[in-house]
Amino acid sequence: MTDASDTPKGPLDGLIVCDLSRILAGPTATQMLGDLGALILKIENPKTGGDDTRAWGPPYADTTDGVTDLSAYFMAANRSKLSVAADIGTEEGRALVREIAMAADVVIENFKPDGLRKYGLDHETLCTERPDLVYCSISGFGQTGPNRKLAGYDLMAQGFGGIMSLTGPAEGTPHKVGVGIADVMCGMYAAIGILAALRHRDATGEGQHIDLALVDSQMAWLINEGTNYLLSGRDPERRGNAHPNICPYDVYPCADGHVILAVGNDGQFGRFATAMGRPDLAVDPRFLTNPLRLENRVALTEIVTDLFAERSQRDILEQLSAVTVPAGPIHTVAQALGSDQAEARGAVISVPRDDVTSGSVQLLGNPLKFSRTPVAASAPPPRVGEHTDIALDRLRDALARRGKR
């Protein structure tokens, strides 16, 4: 067992979160809050093996006891938390969770709407008894609307919310994004909403209920393609790697692979044309402005493809970098995480765990860089129920420190 009692202080030090969420959206939010110093008590049912994603492997961490409850998927969103074993289907389990919730600043859950009502752990019950409580509910379609009772996994949210219609090659099957981005972005919205609600509570003493849906958040980050439709009335087309509003902005083949080219303005296009030995393109009436380049997208794409065909990736990138035209390679995950830039920015962190054979687990780092309150993983991803015995002690200590402020 790893002792997580030596939690470094962060900007959210003293904040207590009762985490009833699982899978990815809620855990993403609470991992962010935990990295920022909040005390996260993750409630897991030991009878079902805890969070569903513990079984979403391989790969698993190589543990000294051979138990496989630390899948890579679970570890991606569950550091900086204490795991508390509690079955809310039992009176004892409900009592423990209720005690934690009543002492917490925040409760976050992702049960189906009304799913916690029968346990007395729903937002109406707890917020009535604790008017200053911030309670965040995450579901597939939200607490209202005709689809409120439907399940909402990331893939279904991407399909319903429209992003899959924009993702993938122009001809062929719509694609989901390669990672669970609907879940992750929903978790980010949840973290923002929780912090905003806490600021309101601190100013007024009033808590509130946050109703957040995977599908709502996914539609919100359709961003320019969503507003393209709202302004034009035309459904956006699937364009593969090409940009709907900028050209040339795509992935192009070269002699030894591919190059990303992202020309964002007319000045960059002129420098691109000169660097590639085709200054005439910058004064070609078809390509003088971005709207004209979009109008003549097919012709320009053919020209750029021909320009790159006989050149190496290194040659292209060096020439375009020299004239500050945005261009870059397409890294594999191994190349991205193994790059000098990733090392300099702490993209990969090593967090000690004394029950894995290597003595630590490697995780993706938090991208936030604070000048005064550095972000830190306060604890490695926990085993199921690992901290049940010490959770209440930590809770009481946090409450005592809060009372001294």
Side-chain angles (χ1 to χ4, degrees):
M1 180 180 294
T2 297
D3 184 359
S5 60
D6 296 327
T7 305
K9 290 184 178 180
L12 297 183
D13 180 52
L15 191 74
I16 302 170
V17 179
C18 176
D19 184 3
L20 287 161
S21 70
R22 59 202 186 281
I23 312 295
L24 187 55
T28 294
T30 52
Q31 176 169 271
M32 178 64 72
L33 299 177
D35 280 355
L36 295 175
L39 174 61
I40 312 296
L41 302 182
K42 181 179 177 70
I43 311 301
E44 298 192 82
N45 186 345
K47 292 182 180 178
T48 61
D51 191 309
D52 305 47
T53 62
R54 289 186 180 276
W56 289 10
Y60 298 96
D62 187 9
T63 56
T64 55
D65 60 9
V67 177
T68 55
D69 65 346
L70 291 176
S71 70
Y73 200 114
F74 173 81
M75 292 195 296
N78 286 286
R79 64 168 177 259
S80 300
K81 305 177 187 181
L82 307 185
S83 176
V84 177
D87 177 3
I88 61 173
T90 67
E91 188 172 334
E92 181 183 9
R94 286 193 298 276
L96 176 58
V97 173
R98 179 181 171 78
E99 180 180 359
I100 294 170
M102 286 293 97
D105 300 280
V106 178
V107 172
I108 182 169
E109 56 90 8
N110 66 340
F111 285 71
K112 289 183 180 179
D114 302 326
L116 288 172
R117 189 181 301 277
K118 63 183 177 181
Y119 303 113
L121 298 172
D122 57 298
H123 71 90
E124 290 181 349
T125 300
L126 296 183
C127 291
T128 297
E129 298 182 39
R130 276 278 314 283
D132 64 339
L133 182 66
V134 171
Y135 191 112
C136 180
S137 297
I138 297 175
S139 59
F141 291 86
Q143 304 296 304
T144 59
N147 293 343
R148 67 187 294 268
K149 291 290 188 180
L150 297 181
Y153 281 91
D154 176 271
L155 179 59
M156 288 181 280
Q158 290 196 39
F160 192 98
I163 194 64
M164 285 181 67
S165 74
L166 307 176
T167 308
E171 302 296 333
T173 305
H175 289 183
K176 74 176 182 68
V177 180
V179 296
I181 193 65
D183 271 329
V184 170
M185 283 302 299
C186 186
M188 294 300 178
Y189 279 112
I192 293 169
I194 287 168
L195 294 175
L198 287 168
R199 190 174 194 279
H200 174 79
R201 181 209 64 177
D202 292 344
T204 67
E206 298 173 342
Q208 59 184 300
H209 182 219
I210 302 168
D211 171 10
L212 187 58
L214 285 179
V215 169
D216 290 355
S217 63
Q218 196 268 267
M219 288 192 283
W221 55 260
L222 287 173
I223 49 171
N224 59 299
E225 285 286 52
T227 50
N228 284 347
Y229 163 73
L230 294 174
L231 284 176
S232 70
R234 296 191 300 271
D235 243 337
E237 299 176 25
R238 196 162 64 250
R239 299 183 184 277
N241 293 304
H243 197 289
N245 300 103
I246 309 172
C247 186
Y249 189 109
D250 207 337
V251 173
Y252 300 91
C254 61
D256 56 354
H258 292 84
V259 169
I260 296 171
L261 175 65
V263 172
N265 57 53
D266 297 340
Q268 289 177 357
F269 183 72
R271 296 196 300 276
F272 160 77
T274 300
M276 292 292 101
R278 288 291 307 273
D280 59 296
L281 294 176
V283 294
D284 189 315
R286 297 173 297 171
F287 310 135
L288 288 175
T289 66
N290 185 67
L292 288 171
R293 291 194 290 275
L294 283 173
E295 186 179 333
N296 295 284
R297 180 197 295 269
V298 174
L300 184 53
T301 297
E302 291 176 355
I303 291 171
V304 175
T305 300
D306 288 342
L307 287 173
F308 284 2
E310 302 301 322
R311 289 179 166 89
S312 69
Q313 182 189 85
R314 181 175 179 177
D315 177 54
I316 294 169
L317 296 182
E318 286 181 350
Q319 287 185 325
L320 295 182
S321 175
V323 294
T324 63
V325 172
I330 299 175
H331 280 157
T332 65
V333 173
Q335 289 171 327
L337 296 181
S339 66
D340 293 344
Q341 181 68 16
E343 182 178 1
R345 298 290 291 174
V348 177
I349 60 174
S350 182
V351 184
R353 269 214 71 96
D354 56 17
D355 57 355
V356 299
T357 54
S358 63
S360 64
V361 291
Q362 283 196 308
L363 304 172
L364 298 177
N366 191 307
L368 291 172
K369 312 298 180 189
F370 285 84
S371 62
R372 294 190 180 276
T373 54
V375 174
S378 61
R383 310 296 292 271
V384 178
E386 178 177 350
H387 305 104
T388 304
D389 293 339
I390 68 170
L392 291 180
D393 289 339
R394 292 288 307 280
L395 187 66
R396 290 168 185 141
D397 177 63
L399 289 171
R401 287 189 290 116
R402 178 189 299 169
K404 295 177 181 178
R405 293 179 178 177

